[in-house]
Amino acid sequence: TDMYEDCERKFILIRVFQRLEYLLGEFAKIEEFTSGKIQLDKKEYFAIESVEQALDILLLNIDEIDIENDFDLKLNVDFELFSIALKNLIDNAIKYNTNGNPKVYILENGIKIINKGDNLTKPIDEYYKPFNHEYETAQSGLGLGLYITNNIIKIHNYQLNYNYEEGHHIFFIKT
């Protein structure tokens, strides 16, 4: 990128390299996580900060998803890990959305991520297993997103609940 003058291509490449660097770091975290050697660096953050970080990781603008932040929910979390969990849920909500923008609701007792989409063909517990390629295909992911997300939420002593209601997927991180 240093060879380019300041231009749009240079800035696109810089963001791509930042994304690759982030993904490598995420894979390193996954390795730590699966080996059981993860050390949480928990501090108090506003939930909206983690949502904004998740959008940054996805290279999304805040207007590409509907956010309702009616409560100043504070979470005691490892910021990086929790942002990864949110990123995975938001990414799935975008990928499998069939109409309108996905929605994120910051509530008094947790965070809901909702998108319109087709019903799942198996119980949600099947999708929490690693390398599930039915929901996350080989072309769009490794099938690890929900597995990682569920485990990150568990190690924070929160719950990940799922419902399918009136054509909508509803993931709820209960704090």
Side-chain angles (χ1 to χ4, degrees):
T1 61
D2 291 338
M3 294 172 51
Y4 283 99
E5 296 294 322
D6 282 348
C7 65
E8 186 176 347
R9 176 172 274 179
K10 177 179 181 169
F11 296 115
I12 290 170
L13 284 173
I14 288 170
R15 287 196 70 178
V16 166
F17 286 123
Q18 287 172 338
R19 173 82 169 136
L20 287 172
E21 185 177 345
Y22 176 81
L23 287 171
L24 288 172
E26 191 172 330
F27 281 122
K29 286 251 185 219
I30 292 166
E31 179 59 32
E32 273 184 86
F33 186 73
T34 56
S35 70
K37 296 179 182 177
I38 193 101
Q39 299 262 337
L40 295 180
D41 181 20
K42 291 170 83 172
K43 294 181 182 150
E44 197 166 86
Y45 298 94
F46 286 104
I48 191 66
E49 293 173 303
S50 290
V51 171
E52 289 171 348
Q53 175 67 11
L55 295 176
D56 283 348
I57 294 166
L58 290 166
L59 305 175
L60 294 175
N61 295 322
I62 202 157
D63 60 347
E64 294 181 62
I65 162 171
D66 297 333
I67 300 173
E68 286 193 28
N69 185 17
D70 294 335
F71 296 92
D72 286 332
L73 177 65
K74 286 189 176 179
L75 304 170
N76 189 25
V77 295
D78 181 303
F79 187 75
E80 283 184 52
L81 272 181
F82 196 77
S83 295
I84 289 169
L86 285 172
K87 179 219 45 128
N88 289 338
L89 290 173
I90 293 168
D91 192 31
N92 282 347
I94 291 167
K95 280 183 199 171
Y96 301 104
N97 194 45
T98 58
N99 188 19
N101 284 346
K103 295 174 179 35
V104 175
Y105 296 94
I106 298 174
L107 306 170
E108 188 173 16
N109 62 339
I111 301 170
K112 273 189 186 180
I113 298 163
I114 301 173
N115 70 287
K116 188 157 182 65
D118 299 327
N119 199 358
L120 301 177
T121 60
K122 296 190 253 183
I124 192 63
D125 290 342
E126 291 296 313
Y127 299 97
Y128 291 156
K129 293 178 181 175
F131 303 107
N132 187 321
H133 289 287
E134 183 177 332
Y135 190 58
E136 297 177 51
T137 66
Q139 290 79 25
S140 64
L142 298 174
L144 292 169
L146 288 176
Y147 166 75
I148 292 166
T149 297
N150 190 40
N151 284 292
I152 288 171
I153 290 167
K154 279 183 184 176
I155 64 171
H156 281 89
N157 296 316
Y158 297 150
Q159 290 178 326
L160 180 61
N161 298 318
Y162 170 80
N163 285 313
Y164 185 76
E165 296 174 11
E166 298 178 11
H168 291 85
H169 297 280
I170 304 167
F171 283 93
F172 179 53
I173 301 171
K174 187 174 192 297
T175 58

